[in-house]
Amino acid sequence: GAVVSQHPSWVICKSGTSVKIECRSLDFQATTMFWYRQFPKQSLMLMATSNEGSKATYEQGVEKDKFLINHASLTLSTLTVTSAHPEDSSFYICSAREGRSNEQFFGPGTRLTVL
Amino acid sequence: QKEVEQNSGPLSVPEGAIASLNCTYSDRGSQSFFWYRQYSGKSPELIMSIYSNGDKEDGRFTAQLNKASQYVSLLIRDSQPSDSATYLCAVNTQAGTALIFGKGTTLSVSS
């Protein structure tokens, strides 16, 4: 099956620093990747949709200058949380869509803790 | 506003029983339907996809779709304690767009 990886799996950082999270499709080309955030005991919240070679589309209420998304290739998308604050602490999960399929496969997630 | 509704549960069933998880969606133009399983602290895992009316079976899992009623369900036969997780229903209204997720139903299977 389609495999999506994320790196790092967890990160702890100080308030004010920036954190980059990588999402890779390992055995398929992902024309579209999605970034989600999940707070404890809450549902997945879509943050943005990322298409290879173009600017990401952000959901309402998500600050595009704070959450920088780059989808430079068909197998890699990155999310950078700039000037992170404790309220940004969450579980960040990417998913990737394989070709023309509507199925989306999730990465294992990155748990971010901002002190 | 496109919505996907699920009963949050918890749904408790004894080991070996059939667990029935339900989901309704608001957009009649929805085309693709998915069930994901999410264990606590982990990311969602795709377990079933269904695109046309009727039943689709895969091992102990059966997905059922009724577009006229805007209803999709997941049946888990011979439930096991390892099936205890949150089950997310997701709907796609247009190819290539983001999935719309329900809030999930928590299933607890007791041994």
Side-chain angles (χ1 to χ4, degrees):
Chain A
V3 180
V4 178
S5 71
Q6 269 184 254
H7 177 81
S9 56
W10 60 270
V11 58
I12 301 173
C13 69
K14 293 182 179 180
S15 184
T17 61
S18 295
V19 175
K20 179 184 282 189
I21 302 170
E22 292 186 349
C23 177
R24 293 182 185 272
S25 56
L26 298 185
D27 53 0
F28 66 98
Q29 292 186 329
T31 53
T32 306
M33 289 184 172
F34 305 90
W35 287 95
Y36 295 84
R37 182 167 54 180
Q38 188 175 36
F39 294 105
K41 298 190 184 300
Q42 294 190 21
S43 62
L44 291 167
M45 292 176 50
L46 178 66
M47 299 176 67
T49 300
S50 168
N51 290 296
E52 186 265 338
S54 61
K55 291 184 178 179
T57 302
Y58 291 81
E59 295 299 300
Q60 190 173 7
V62 178
E63 300 175 57
K64 62 180 181 180
D65 294 330
K66 180 171 182 64
F67 299 99
L68 302 178
I69 293 172
N70 185 292
H71 193 161
S73 76
L74 286 171
T75 60
L76 173 65
S77 177
T78 61
L79 167 68
T80 301
V81 183
T82 62
S83 187
H85 289 95
E87 58 265 30
D88 298 322
S89 298
S90 189
F91 191 40
Y92 292 85
I93 317 171
C94 72
S95 72
R97 184 178 65 88
E98 179 182 18
R100 295 180 181 178
S101 169
N102 276 328
E103 294 181 344
Q104 292 181 18
F105 299 92
F106 283 85
T110 297
R111 193 162 301 282
L112 170 63
T113 302
V114 185
L115 302 176
Chain B
Q1 182 86 7
K2 300 172 183 176
E3 295 181 343
V4 177
E5 299 287 343
Q6 293 181 257
N7 188 321
S8 62
L11 173 66
S12 297
V13 300
E15 184 175 359
I18 296 175
S20 178
L21 303 161
N22 305 314
C23 171
T24 59
Y25 57 95
S26 63
D27 190 340
R28 190 170 286 278
S30 300
Q31 300 177 357
S32 308
F33 307 86
F34 307 91
W35 283 100
Y36 286 83
R37 176 177 62 197
Q38 186 176 25
Y39 292 111
S40 180
K42 303 294 184 181
S43 67
E45 172 192 11
L46 178 65
I47 53 173
M48 289 287 284
S49 60
I50 186 167
Y51 302 98
S52 56
N53 281 326
D55 295 358
K56 179 182 178 182
E57 185 175 320
D58 184 1
R60 295 187 296 112
F61 299 99
T62 299
Q64 298 175 319
L65 175 62
N66 184 325
K67 289 187 178 180
S69 300
Q70 296 175 236
Y71 176 92
V72 58
S73 66
L74 179 70
L75 299 178
I76 306 175
R77 291 182 299 282
D78 189 23
S79 295
Q80 302 297 309
S82 58
D83 295 326
S84 298
T86 296
Y87 288 81
L88 302 169
C89 173
V91 173
N92 186 238
T93 57
Q94 189 174 1
T97 60
L99 295 176
I100 301 171
F101 281 89
K103 293 186 176 181
T105 298
T106 299
L107 173 66
S108 177
V109 181
S110 56
S111 57

